[in-house]
Amino acid sequence: MSDTHAQTVLYVRETMLPESAPPVSEVGAIRWTRENLFSSPLNIILTLVSIYVVYWVLIHVGPWMLGGIWDASTLTECREIRDETLGPDASVACWAVLTDRWHQLLFGFYPPELYWRPLLALVIFLVGLTPILFTSVPRSVLAITAAAPFVCFWLLWGGSVWLPVSVALGFLVGYVAFKFLTPVSPLAGIIGAIAAPILYWLILAGPIWAGLDAAVPISIEFVESRAFGGFMLSVVIGLSAIVLSLPLGILLALARQSDLFIIKTSAVVFIEVIRGVPLIVWLFTAQLLLNYFLPPGTNFDLTLRVIIMVTLFSAAYIAEVIRGGLAALPKGQYEGADSLGLNYWQSMRLIVLPQALKISIPGIVNTFIGLFKDTVLVVFIGLADPIGFSNLIRASTDWNGIYWELFIFIGLMFFIFCYSMGRYSLYLEKKLQREHR
């Protein structure tokens, strides 16, 4: 339509209207409330019922929690304070059990003067994780990542510094064997990377450790594993199993898809046997039966046995999660890697595994969260985890009869750890989606 014709038609506007703000009901909190809480008659009913339930919980639980007593040395004293201040019929929480026994719930029987060691170990571990979890962290921090497991072990248990050093040398031996044998045969490189460290640890690690300790004795106070307890024990077992099970699970997933009959069959048997037996049975196996397979006179620490068994259990589940991610990839991804002339390990590292792991993130994190919560099962084999220590505290005459306060604290601590893992999972998924675009 021409400008001349537009000016002769009455219903054609010659100028643009100024922009106006949207109605109040279409923006901000009012819009969100209308769309998410009151969008239909059913949603209105559910919203009102939910509000009533939340209100009922708050008016009954809120005064009990917020009006709690924090300054008392026994449950009897706590009740006396309640009777004097609020009356004998009042219902209030006795949080004084936390102020009195917090150190046992967190550190178990670990020597109080050495609390700095597990705290420092946790800080070093978290710093070592940062370049793995966040790509913006400088790659130079990877040196801390490589050293963190051995430094944390030394800080937690103490003893000679040369023990973790001699163990770390085993991984260097495996790397050298892999580099040396891979040009001969990729399979020989894999076997060498596994067999060489094991032979080193069985034959040479002990004499090297003893020789270095005799020549240059550097040590800190040794702490036995039976002193570990509370959340410290759960964190040590849970984080160790999480860090170790992921690479082992990746290898098992690749082995299960291997064309080599022996490797594929071994991986299938391992995964199915481990997954087919409850974790509590494997924990009893670690406690009672594992020593029968060790040389006579060998004293293998129970906590380390539990870490190994929980790691193997978690690795079997991680392997199946990652296998699902590998199966979800189109066949063209594998063919594309072959067309580029990449060998098996190059195609896995550069093309296949990054995509499979991206698909598997929710399942992997879900497995890790379940694993961390399952660490409370160690109470059945005599290790004093947070639940075990709550039983010990309630068995004492000072706090006999207290329940909810301890369990609320334990649940809150587990929630913080598990919620943090879940939030990081969501962050990583969104980040990878943005990068994919």
Side-chain angles (χ1 to χ4, degrees):
M1 182 181 295
S2 65
D3 293 341
T4 304
H5 182 66
Q7 294 174 359
T8 61
V9 180
L10 297 178
Y11 56 81
V12 177
R13 184 176 298 279
E14 298 181 356
T15 58
M16 293 293 293
L17 287 175
E19 294 184 1
S20 58
V24 177
S25 60
E26 295 295 331
V27 294
I30 297 178
R31 177 186 178 183
W32 183 93
T33 302
R34 182 172 57 83
E35 292 183 351
N36 293 276
L37 301 180
F38 303 101
S39 58
S40 67
L42 178 60
N43 284 350
I44 293 174
I45 295 173
L46 293 177
T47 298
L48 295 177
V49 171
S50 301
I51 292 174
Y52 175 76
V53 171
V54 172
Y55 170 75
W56 186 90
V57 171
L58 290 177
I59 63 173
H60 286 81
V61 178
W64 178 81
M65 296 183 63
L66 300 178
I69 298 169
W70 291 88
D71 188 13
S73 57
T74 64
L75 181 58
T76 302
E77 183 179 347
C78 195
R79 289 171 176 170
E80 292 175 354
I81 296 174
R82 178 202 62 185
D83 295 343
E84 294 177 358
T85 56
L86 301 173
D89 296 330
S91 177
V92 293
C94 186
W95 301 116
V97 64
L98 301 181
T99 59
D100 185 56
R101 299 296 183 94
W102 66 269
H103 54 287
Q104 292 182 342
L105 288 170
L106 294 181
F107 297 100
F109 295 115
Y110 209 82
E113 67 276 9
L114 300 179
Y115 284 168
W116 64 270
R117 280 167 45 177
L119 293 175
L120 179 60
L122 180 61
V123 171
I124 293 175
F125 178 82
L126 295 177
V127 172
L129 278 183
T130 52
I132 299 175
L133 301 180
F134 304 101
T135 56
S136 59
V137 177
R139 298 293 94 183
S140 58
V141 184
L142 286 172
I144 300 178
T145 304
F150 309 102
V151 175
C152 292
F153 174 86
W154 183 56
L155 288 172
L156 291 172
W157 276 273
S160 174
V161 71
W162 300 115
L163 173 59
V165 170
S166 62
V167 173
L169 290 175
F171 292 95
L172 180 60
V173 170
Y175 177 78
V176 173
F178 178 78
K179 286 294 185 181
F180 181 76
L181 295 176
T182 298
V184 178
S185 168
L187 180 60
I190 297 174
I191 295 175
I194 297 174
I198 294 176
L199 293 175
Y200 165 82
W201 289 325
L202 292 176
I203 300 173
L204 297 177
I208 291 177
W209 165 32
L212 291 174
D213 189 50
V216 186
I218 303 175
S219 63
I220 57 178
E221 182 179 345
F222 176 73
V223 179
E224 295 183 352
S225 292
R226 63 184 180 183
F228 288 32
F231 278 100
M232 176 183 167
L233 180 64
S234 294
V235 170
V236 169
I237 296 175
L239 294 185
S240 299
I242 287 173
V243 171
L244 297 174
S245 64
L246 181 58
L248 183 57
I250 294 174
L251 293 177
L252 286 171
L254 296 178
R256 185 157 187 169
Q257 291 195 327
S258 174
D259 295 330
L260 298 175
F261 177 78
I262 297 178
I263 293 179
K264 181 177 182 178
T265 304
S266 300
V268 170
V269 171
F270 175 86
I271 292 172
E272 297 303 328
V273 170
I274 292 293
R275 288 199 311 156
V277 179
L279 177 57
I280 187 63
V281 175
W282 291 120
L283 293 178
F284 280 116
T285 301
Q287 180 194 24
L288 303 174
L289 301 180
L290 196 58
N291 274 340
Y292 289 107
F293 300 96
L294 298 174
T298 303
N299 184 17
F300 197 8
D301 186 86
L302 177 59
T303 302
L304 295 180
R305 278 183 275 163
V306 169
I307 291 175
I308 293 173
M309 197 59 70
V310 174
T311 298
L312 297 178
F313 185 84
S314 177
Y317 281 85
I318 291 295
E320 288 301 282
V321 172
I322 295 176
R323 188 171 70 90
L326 293 172
L329 289 182
K331 188 178 180 181
Q333 298 296 319
Y334 297 89
E335 295 173 346
D338 294 336
S339 67
L340 293 174
L342 302 178
N343 60 33
Y344 176 80
W345 293 109
Q346 288 174 333
S347 64
M348 287 295 160
R349 181 170 60 88
L350 299 175
I351 296 179
V352 177
L353 275 180
Q355 299 180 74
L357 292 176
K358 176 185 174 182
I359 297 172
S360 307
I361 286 174
I364 292 174
V365 175
N366 186 58
T367 302
F368 286 162
I369 291 175
L371 168 66
F372 187 77
K373 292 187 295 184
D374 285 345
T375 56
V376 298
L377 293 176
V378 299
V379 69
F380 294 108
I381 59 173
L383 296 180
D385 73 315
I387 300 297
F389 257 100
S390 70
N391 296 332
L392 295 176
I393 292 172
R394 290 187 293 108
S396 66
T397 56
D398 290 341
W399 298 106
N400 187 12
I402 199 163
Y403 295 95
W404 286 105
E405 292 83 348
L406 292 171
F407 293 139
I408 289 175
F409 176 75
I410 293 171
L412 178 62
M413 293 297 293
F414 274 105
F415 174 79
I416 291 173
F417 277 94
C418 297
Y419 182 75
S420 300
M421 287 189 278
R423 295 307 300 178
Y424 174 77
S425 171
L426 294 176
Y427 156 79
L428 188 59
E429 289 181 49
K430 293 179 180 178
K431 179 177 182 296
L432 293 176
Q433 288 176 357
R434 290 195 302 269
E435 292 180 352
H436 182 69
R437 293 172 184 173

